[in-house]
Each structure stands twice: as structure tokens, then as C-alpha cells.
Amino acid sequence: MAKKDNIASVLAFEKKFVPSDGFMYGTTWEQRHDSAVVLKLQEKSVRGTISNRITKAAIKNDPLKLNAEVEKANLQRVDSCALSPNQDTLKLQFTLKILSGVQQPSACNNQAFNESYTQAANNYIETEGFNELAKRYAMNIANARFLWRNRVGAENIEVQVKKLNGDEEQSWTFDATKFSIRNFDHNDASIDTLAEKIAAALSGADDFLLLEINAYAQIGKAQDVYPSEELVLDKSSGSSKGKKSKILYSINDIAGMHSQKIGNALRTIDTWYPEYLEANTGPIAIEPYGAVTNLGKAYRTPKAKADFFTLFDRFARGESLEDKNDTHYVMAVLVRGGVFGESTKD
């Protein structure tokens, strides 16, 4: 069928990896399994110094004007969060639901496209079974990548995973410090069994998988912890005067981490982008254009024919992709979910 007759202008996929928000608690390493106290945000008012780059030559080149500029008080009200003096361990708790049905779009307005895509997705499930993706997702649970900045400088990190759904009770415990966040080359029997459960859910052998994940990071007594930071949309001087310049996230007065931030860490599995070996960036999150916002770079561009839409258009219409890793990437984006409709205009 001609491509122009096989266009889905309305096409959407529901996400199949659904993490909850993360809740933060403080405890001690010795008592981490027995008790933990909720961590709450604290407000600080601080007087900082002017440390931004001064671009006006009249100020930079005049010592008197420069002195007058740096003497201005940089007053700030910010949120912070820290362990108490008798706590040395952060506990982060969240749940993760993994769903099946990736071979069925949640919305598709072209029957021919739907049929060709469903056939391609079913072929992937039959031949690959989501095994490679599941191993990488399991690795990102085991290595506690989802702790983000809280992972840095931790003396010990333990991750406990418990299967909540079904009659079978199953749990896993990982020493996150033994697993790299730079690659997925490790072989571990516990990761393999967790990956099998994830693959079974994604492929439809099981309807879904629900996990409870508790991570413990021994970071030191009274040390700062790092919840998610809220986006301050209105930064105009008039409306923000007297308001906090940094607002951290909390849920019912408990310091927390956005589910989106946890999800981003779990899907940081893309080592198949073209510049992986040269860039020394490590794995990046699964995104349609390989966007890494903190680096200001898209690693998968249409020019290089490495972006999701270029690969997906071929895959969904029944064309075999030369590199199997491209197929893994396409399916990982569909697990992520999104709206991928194609314009009918030439």
C-alpha cells in the first residue's frame, strides 16, 4: 500500500512504565529496615554574594563601580532538606507499575497503519520478548540511578525490590555500588530474574507487574538530601519579590521526588545513539530525538536518520531495520509512550 494511504494523523501510545512519586525518609544504616522518619522541607533565608558574570564594561573596568555592585546584598529565600543530626541514611520509597499492550496504540485513525504496526510489534515480541530492554530497566533499578544527586558520595546504597501483585511473593536485594551506571555489561542472577518479570509484563505473558522499591543511601549524619525542584514559571521581579527562589517538591508534607524524574532515570538505557562511543556521555534517556537538556544537545537527529520518527515510520510499515538495536530503541520509545501522529500534508 502506498505510504500516502498508510498515514495515521492521530496516533498515541500510553506509557507502560508508570512510577509513583518518590517519598523521602531519614534513618540510620543499622536501623534502616526497622524505622524511618519522614523528611520535611525547611525554609532558609540567606544573604549571598553577587557571583553572576558581569557583562557591562563600565562596571568591570571601574573598581569603584565593581565594589558598589558586589556590595549589593543577594538576599534569597530557599527550600532545603536534610537528615537530622542522628540520621545518616536516606530512604526513598516508590512503586512501579509495568503494563502490557504496547502492540496496541491507544489511538490510531488509520486501520492499515494499525495493522502493519501491530504485526511489526508482535514480531518483535515473538523474536526478542523485550528481554534486552527488561535487562536494562532492571539494571537501572539495581544501580539506584533514580536517586540522582543523592547517589553521589554515598558510602553504601541498598535497593530492595518487592513484587506486590499476584499470589507469588518474590523480592530482590541489590548492592547498588556494585553496578555501574555507565554501561549494562554486568551479569547477575538476581537482575536476570527481575528482568524476566519485567519482560513478561511488557510482552503480555503477564497482565502487569507492580513493584515496591525501597532504596537506602548512607550519605552521612545531617547531610543535605535532594528532593525534586519545582519549576518556577513566573520569575518576573515584580511578582517574585519576597518569594522563594528555590521551591522543592513535597507530598502531604513529605519531601519527595517527581515520578517524571524517577521515570527518566529508569529509561536511561539508550547506548545505541550514533555518538555513544565518542561522546563519553554514557547512556541517555529514551527520547524521540535523544535530547539531553542539561547538555543542550540532541543525539538523535533526522539528518543522521537516527531519530525515532524516521526509524518508526519504517518499522511500523513492516520494513526491517538493518540494526537490531534500532528496533530496541523504537520499542523503548513506545514503552515510554507519547503522541506520534504524522501529518497528511505533503
Side-chain angles (χ1 to χ4, degrees):
M1 183 174 288
K3 180 178 179 180
K4 66 180 181 179
D5 298 325
N6 193 4
I7 292 176
S9 59
V10 177
L11 181 65
F13 291 83
E14 295 177 349
K15 61 183 178 181
K16 304 306 178 185
F17 251 60
V18 190
S20 72
D21 282 337
F23 295 82
M24 291 182 158
Y25 305 85
T27 183
T28 64
W29 186 253
E30 292 75 16
Q31 300 295 320
R32 64 189 182 279
H33 300 148
D34 302 321
S35 63
V37 179
V38 298
L39 292 178
K40 297 185 178 183
L41 304 182
Q42 303 292 328
E43 185 178 299
K44 289 182 179 180
S45 297
V46 297
R47 185 183 189 277
T49 60
I50 300 296
S51 57
N52 58 288
R53 185 188 295 269
I54 297 175
T55 57
K56 293 181 179 180
I59 297 177
K60 288 195 298 181
N61 300 328
D62 188 327
L64 292 177
K65 291 182 179 180
L66 182 60
N67 287 339
E69 187 71 17
V70 299
E71 285 176 2
K72 294 178 182 178
N74 184 16
L75 304 179
Q76 301 177 46
R77 291 174 59 222
V78 298
D79 279 340
S80 66
C81 188
L83 300 175
S84 70
N86 62 345
Q87 297 171 341
D88 67 356
T89 299
L90 166 68
K91 173 185 176 182
L92 179 70
Q93 181 181 66
F94 65 96
T95 59
L96 174 65
K97 183 176 286 187
I98 302 166
L99 304 171
S100 59
V102 73
Q103 68 272 34
Q104 299 166 342
S106 58
C108 180
N109 66 345
N110 187 296
Q111 183 177 354
F113 183 92
N114 196 6
E115 290 175 355
S116 64
Y117 163 72
T118 300
Q119 181 61 50
N122 282 330
N123 288 341
Y124 178 84
I125 292 173
E126 291 174 7
T127 57
E128 300 295 335
F130 282 103
N131 292 323
E132 179 62 28
L133 299 188
K135 177 185 176 182
R136 294 178 176 227
Y137 294 136
M139 278 287 297
N140 278 343
I141 294 174
N143 66 22
R145 186 190 295 273
F146 50 81
L147 286 174
W148 289 95
R149 190 176 175 184
N150 298 292
R151 195 183 189 280
V152 179
E155 184 176 353
N156 294 292
I157 306 175
E158 180 183 85
V159 178
Q160 291 189 333
V161 183
K162 183 179 180 182
K163 180 175 178 287
L164 297 181
N165 63 306
D167 298 330
E168 177 190 10
E169 291 187 4
Q170 197 164 5
S171 61
W172 301 263
T173 300
F174 303 100
D175 179 353
T177 62
K178 293 184 177 180
F179 302 103
S180 173
I181 60 173
R182 302 285 297 177
N183 60 67
F184 301 97
D185 298 334
H186 295 278
N187 292 314
D188 183 273
S190 294
I191 287 179
D192 290 342
T193 57
L194 176 58
E196 288 172 6
K197 295 295 181 182
I198 295 173
L202 289 173
S203 64
D206 295 332
D207 290 336
F208 70 97
L209 175 66
L210 181 61
L211 302 174
E212 177 184 272
I213 299 170
N214 290 284
Y216 304 90
Q218 187 181 15
I219 59 177
K221 290 185 177 181
Q223 283 290 304
D224 281 347
V225 300
Y226 303 99
S228 290
E229 186 171 348
E230 297 282 64
L231 177 64
V232 180
L233 295 175
D234 189 352
K235 296 183 179 180
S236 60
S237 58
S239 62
S240 62
K241 187 176 181 180
K243 295 183 179 180
K244 287 184 286 190
S245 58
K246 182 168 73 173
I247 302 174
L248 299 180
Y249 184 53
S250 67
I251 315 106
N252 296 326
D253 237 8
I254 305 174
M257 191 172 286
H258 292 148
S259 59
Q260 291 85 352
K261 190 167 186 176
I262 294 174
N264 182 281
L266 295 177
R267 70 170 188 272
T268 300
I269 63 170
D270 186 2
T271 59
W272 310 302
Y273 59 96
E275 298 178 46
Y276 170 66
L277 295 178
E278 296 82 9
N280 197 33
T281 304
I284 63 174
I286 293 292
E287 296 288 347
Y289 294 106
V292 182
T293 55
N294 61 316
L295 297 179
K297 184 172 176 62
Y299 285 96
R300 289 183 170 273
T301 64
K303 182 178 180 180
K305 297 183 179 181
D307 66 298
F308 166 73
F309 296 99
T310 300
L311 297 171
F312 176 69
D313 287 348
R314 295 164 52 196
F315 171 80
R317 293 184 171 95
E319 182 180 341
S320 296
L321 302 180
E322 294 82 2
D323 190 339
K324 182 169 65 173
N325 292 333
D326 287 341
T327 310
H328 291 321
Y329 164 70
V330 167
M331 294 304 294
V333 176
L334 298 176
V335 169
R336 167 194 178 273
V339 178
F340 306 125
E342 184 178 2
S343 174
T344 56
K345 297 179 181 180
D346 294 332

